């Protein structure tokens, strides 16, 4: 479950997509904050929304925060 594992959002690629890892597993490429929300919800935190991701210390935003989607 997500609450036991950190969420890492990697820097944007040339196409603006950011790889997302939950724990030791890459779960997909996000092209916006709602994509990250969907990945986290699928991993077990159905009640999470965009503000939870922005505020949570559980999420490691690398190469820019939640508003950075271009390289």
């Amino acid at each position: 479950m997500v609450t036991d594992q950190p969420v890492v959002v990697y820097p944007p690629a040339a196409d603006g997509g950011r790889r997302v890892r939950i724990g030791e597993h890459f779960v997909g490429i996000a092209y916006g904050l709602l994509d990250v929300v969907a990945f986290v919800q699928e991993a077990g935190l159905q009640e999470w929304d965009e503000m939870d991701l922005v505020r949570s210390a559980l999420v490691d935003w690398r190469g820019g925060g939640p508003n950075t989607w271009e390289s």
Side-chain angles (χ1 to χ4, degrees):
M1 174 167 291
V2 156
T3 57
D4 303 290
Q5 304 172 27
V7 177
V8 179
V9 182
Y10 288 88
D15 66 356
R18 298 178 75 169
R19 291 183 308 142
V20 179
R21 187 182 81 209
I22 298 176
E24 295 185 18
H25 302 282
F26 285 98
V27 294
I29 305 290
Y31 291 92
L33 191 56
L34 290 178
D35 292 334
V36 183
V37 170
F39 293 141
V40 172
Q41 288 175 344
E42 288 175 17
L45 293 176
Q46 290 85 11
E47 71 280 359
W48 273 41
D49 63 16
E50 302 95 277
M51 291 310 299
D52 293 311
L53 285 176
V54 170
R55 290 184 247 163
S56 178
L58 180 69
V59 181
D60 180 7
W61 295 94
R62 297 184 182 175
N67 295 320
T68 305
W69 296 96
E70 295 180 14
S71 59

